[in-house]
Amino acid sequence: MKLVRYGEKGQEKPGLIDAQGRIRDLSAHVGDIAGATLDPAALAELSSLDITSLPLVAEGTRLGPCVAGTGKFVCIGLNFSDHAAESGMEVPPEPVVFMKATSAIAGPNDDVPIPRGSDKTDWEVELAIVIGKTAKYVSEADALDYVAGYCVCHDVSERGFQLERFGQWTKGKSCDGFGPIGPWLATRDEVPDPQNLAMWLKVNGETLQNGSTRTMVFGAAYLVSYLSQFMSLHPGDIISTGTPPGVGLGFKPPRYLKAGDVVELGIETLGSQKQTFVPDL
């Protein structure tokens, strides 16, 4: 299934995408795409519904973040060796873990505010893992059993805040709107191999990232297992798994986003996003 949340900000309803690419309403069956709904057993029950009997949603309706109730937004840095090289950093021996504030979460096509004082706002297309049931001390072999599905994440980053200000990366990653997710949450059956997905990103129509999850240093199963050794993972938690090369920081000279720029990005099977960057007034 391709699960979505649609409607005005803060008032999103659950839905899914049918075979014709239309939104169908799920409100009569689940309260939201969150919590217990994400358990693999609950998703299996949802998949038995007659999709054609579900009410259609009007074309052009806004898509919100594809999952709600996220307690942790965990990010993995330098998880593509070629991206580490363009950033002038070594490939780490273990995953580089940092957090993005959940207040950064946004819909896939919402405008993204460029924060006050920013002159180095950058782009990163990433595969996100969404947890479906509580995971603690799980093995790599069993790790994907705890996953509800996958989605596109735009890990928007302010490099000055991230790298030039004192402390950790979080403040360069957590500005409002810096975490668009969606358009949909693709359940695990839609993605038989998360390590074989093409991914791309364009700025103002120019392709700047063109990669694949094949070149991730640490794969999805490893990351779920690894993180579960240090923290319990709960339904709705997001793990954003890193970006391929082609980010603005890696250009010589670097290239960064300005108000009016349009970024489009997508991952095979998981759909695409489109955002206009605007001043944060």
Side-chain angles (χ1 to χ4, degrees), residues 165-248:
R165 304 288 290 271
F166 185 75
Q168 300 180 342
W169 289 0
T170 300
K171 60 180 174 285
K173 298 283 189 170
S174 295
C175 304
D176 291 351
F178 270 26
I181 56 170
W184 55 72
L185 170 65
T187 51
R188 280 181 55 209
D189 57 295
E190 297 270 350
V191 187
D193 183 4
Q195 303 311 142
N196 190 28
L197 300 173
M199 52 202 310
W200 56 271
L201 182 143
K202 299 178 181 181
V203 177
N204 298 326
E206 179 186 2
T207 299
L208 297 179
Q209 290 190 278
N210 187 13
S212 170
T213 58
R214 288 193 304 272
T215 62
M216 286 167 58
V217 177
F218 304 106
Y222 183 90
L223 291 172
V224 172
S225 173
Y226 179 84
L227 290 170
S228 78
Q229 311 306 309
F230 304 101
M231 64 189 84
S232 58
L233 301 171
H234 298 277
D237 284 353
I238 297 168
I239 304 168
S240 200
T241 61
T243 197
V247 302

Side-chain angles (χ1 to χ4, degrees), residues 2-7 11-18 22-33 46 49-58 61:
K2 296 174 179 177
L3 301 172
V4 298
R5 300 174 66 251
Y6 68 91
Q11 301 177 40
E12 291 92 348
K13 295 180 180 180
L16 56 72
I17 303 295
D18 68 14
R22 301 171 298 186
I23 303 173
R24 299 272 184 168
D25 179 54
L26 275 174
S27 297
H29 301 277
V30 295
D32 207 344
I33 309 301
L46 263 186
L49 292 174
D50 176 8
I51 292 176
T52 61
S53 70
L54 299 172
L56 281 166
V57 175
T61 299

Side-chain angles (χ1 to χ4, degrees), residues 70-100:
T70 298
K72 291 189 288 296
F73 197 154
V74 186
C75 297
I76 307 299
L78 307 176
N79 198 27
F80 288 72
S81 57
D82 33 12
H83 170 57
E86 73 173 352
S87 301
M89 301 179 188
E90 297 290 329
V91 175
E94 293 186 47
V96 173
V97 179
F98 62 94
M99 296 291 193
K100 185 184 280 278

